[in-house]
Amino acid sequence: MLAFLLVAAVSAGTTAALTYREARNAVLQTAQDTAVNSFREHVETTAFALPVLGGDDLDELLRDIARKGKPHPWVVFAEYGSVRASSGENPVSTVITPELRRAARSPHGSFERVVKDGVPYLTIAMPMVFKASPDSELPSGLVLYAVMRMTDEQVNVDALLIAGRDGALPGLAVSLIPGLIAARSVLRPVRKLREAALHMGSGRLDTRIPVRGSDELADLAHTFNKSAGQLERSVRELREAEERARRFASDVSHELRTPLAGMLAVTEVLDEDADGLDADTARAVRLVSAETGKLAVLVEDLMEISRFDARAAELNADEVDVAEAIRKTLNHRHWTDDRIRTELPDGIRARLDPRRFDVVIANLVGNALRHGGAPVTVRLRTEPRSPGPHVLIADVVDSGPGIRPEALPHIFDRFYKADAARTRSAGSGLGLAITMENVKLHGGTIYAGNRPGGGAVFAVEIPLHAEGEGAGG
């Protein structure tokens, strides 16, 4: 739009300037030619007695020439040696320039446009000559000057300037109409394309753009619609595949749960009788019992993940003493020896789901004991957030080698195991993924990192909404 206006402005300005220049030259040229030709004719037909001695006769001759001035009255001056005379009050003109006096030596005369005190003048110099022969002229020493005001021409020129300006501005304003039409024809499809892209970004993959015409924008709209259709099909296929995968995991977990319950009961009986069996049989029984237990844990984890994927997981929150809840988690799993260190200030209360919070702490501490190194420190505190409420922060810090930097972005992925950084895991690889889902269900976040001195750090942040949320820390 700016480029269109710039072209329109340059075009209108150039047209107005050229028109003004030509009209101005025409006005001034007409007045100038009329005055010069008329003055030359009168000078050539007027007889002067030489030598010129001045006096009333010379003044009368000058006034006679001045009365015949065209196209406007003249003031005529005469210079002959030291003699100065004029048809006006002053014998010498202040408008005649030294340059014109030097140019007056030419037998054909000269003229000049001069502006004096803001008033334009035309000054004409015409020397008196003798014809010594048909081909030669001799100067007499007498030079006549005509000074004519050009105020009428200046008024006409000013009127031309105003007319040019007044004509260019409406023309520029009128040029806005095709400019707006052109901009609208270009920008409207672009705006529709932007809106369609925003809709697709928000998940509305069925968005399409109406295709009109056969220009480049129409080709762009057609390409966008084609790409959007392919993307919609791809996303639909991916969602269907993901849904089938979730349904498969859920169905398998449910189908395995019943036979696993029976297998666990059998393995418990076998474990009790293993001491009475021979060594090889006892070792096989204990191996089957251990692997059955791992399989049962895996099935439970898969069912829990399926509930999160199906948005069926519910939060049964209650106001609890957070430090006491962590102590119960550690006591139930017999993590009360010197491998565990705690920094659990009393008085911190928050609305939590006790069962899910228990899973979070148990998974983090168990993961630190299996894959990190003792001692493992569990810390509890609160911190303010601006804006927003205080947050509850639970840190689990181990003394192991830490997490490899390339493994950090994937540490909460399902079935991911950072084997090269830690001892090989016997778990399912779902524990940290389930931990993250439980933290998200509380409206919180979980972070993983390494301490500068070594060891992995897992930090859980959950917003506090209960009374007394600022206590402790």
Side-chain angles (χ1 to χ4, degrees), residues 49 58 123 139 190 229 250 262 314 323 336 342 352 396 399 408 441 461:
L58 180 58
T123 57
V190 174
S250 178
E314 296 181 353
T336 56
T342 60
L352 303 171
V396 177
S399 303
L408 278 174
L441 204 60
E461 294 186 5

Side-chain angles (χ1 to χ4, degrees), residues 68 106 294 366 435:
K68 300 174 182 177
S106 169
K294 292 177 184 178
T435 299

